């Protein structure tokens, strides 16, 4: 997709997480995580976890041209979140973690995940984070996502925050330049 062309969707912050399409995509996400990893190795957040104050949750929507901005219409394409692990202070930059990155199965390979990731990294820059990390799966189903993260500059790292090494997890991080 040419960046000069307008995107056929828009990304917004969702503070309530009550729309039926959001709940359905989250259920799809959780089912996918549970299908690929044993329960003790699934770290995806449920609805209550995503509503916590340290989480900012984004959704990407396709709207009909006749829909007014902000209307509760359209089709949900993808979601993603950033969790504040450490705030930015006068003594140093903060650390964020990507969570719940998911594109609806019907909308894969359309640039929506890249748009969500771009917006999440923009939020991280705005907050003064110097590092953004993520935990993802290690099975072949996760390879497309891992490839996207690498294209954005993420590199493999060890466990961070409360994570521990396990055969079903891969850890990645990215250092952000201070603006």
């Amino acid at each position: 997709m040419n960046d000069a062309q307008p995107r056929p969707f828009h990304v917004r912050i969702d503070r309530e997480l009550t729309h039926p399409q959001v709940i359905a995509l989250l259920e799809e996400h959780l089912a996918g995580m549970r299908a690929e990893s044993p329960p003790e190795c699934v770290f995806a957040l449920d609805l209550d976890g995503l509503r916590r104050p340290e989480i900012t949750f984004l959704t990407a929507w396709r709207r009909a041209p006749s829909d007014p901005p902000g209307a509760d219409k359209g089709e949900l394409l993808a979601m993603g979140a950033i969790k504040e692990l450490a705030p930015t202070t006068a003594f140093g930059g903060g650390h964020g973690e990507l969570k719940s990155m998911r594109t609806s199965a019907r909308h894969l390979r359309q640039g929506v995940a890249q748009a969500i990731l771009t917006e999440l990294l923009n939020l991280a820059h705005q907050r003064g984070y110097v590092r953004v990390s993520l935990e993802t799966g290690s099975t072949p189903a996760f390879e497309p996502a891992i490839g996207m993260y690498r294209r954005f500059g993420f590199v493999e790292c060890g466990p961070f925050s409360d994570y521990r090494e396990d055969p079903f997890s891969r850890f990645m991080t990215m250092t952000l330049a201070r603006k």
Side-chain angles (χ1 to χ4, degrees):
M1 187 164 99
N2 183 341
D3 287 336
Q5 298 174 359
R7 297 188 298 209
F9 52 85
H10 76 279
V11 177
R12 69 178 191 212
I13 293 176
D14 183 336
R15 299 196 193 285
E16 280 86 46
L17 290 86
T18 56
H19 194 287
Q21 290 183 58
V22 171
I23 293 168
L25 185 57
L26 180 58
E27 288 172 356
E28 177 185 322
H29 176 62
L30 292 171
M33 298 302 99
R34 292 178 187 128
E36 292 294 326
S37 302
E40 66 274 11
C41 298
V42 174
F43 303 105
L45 297 175
D46 62 12
L47 201 53
D48 289 335
L50 289 168
R51 287 181 176 142
R52 294 181 55 95
E54 66 272 18
I55 304 281
T56 302
F57 186 77
L58 303 181
T59 52
W61 295 84
R62 176 175 293 131
R63 300 221 182 267
S66 61
D67 291 342
D72 198 17
K73 296 181 180 179
E75 182 178 15
L76 179 63
L77 308 177
M79 65 183 193
I82 190 162
K83 176 181 179 180
E84 184 168 272
L85 297 177
T88 300
T89 67
F91 303 104
H95 184 193
E97 177 186 3
L98 298 181
K99 298 295 291 182
S100 301
M101 289 285 296
R102 185 67 171 207
T103 301
S104 170
R106 294 187 321 230
H107 302 291
L108 295 171
R109 316 286 181 271
Q110 296 178 23
V112 185
Q114 292 178 35
I116 291 272
L117 182 52
T118 297
E119 292 300 323
L120 290 169
L121 293 174
N122 286 340
L123 284 172
H125 276 291
Q126 290 168 16
R127 294 174 181 177
Y129 294 170
V130 294
R131 183 173 165 209
V132 176
S133 302
L134 64 94
E135 179 276 336
T136 191
S138 63
T139 63
F142 295 94
E143 286 304 320
I146 291 167
M148 178 185 71
Y149 296 134
R150 283 187 179 132
R151 286 190 300 278
F152 270 76
F154 284 85
V155 295
E156 303 279 335
C157 67
F160 59 92
S161 189
D162 296 328
Y163 293 108
R164 294 186 196 104
E165 284 287 348
D166 78 71
F168 291 92
S169 291
R170 289 174 82 169
F171 304 97
M172 302 181 84
T173 195
M174 174 187 212
T175 301
L176 301 177
R178 298 291 295 250
K179 288 188 174 183

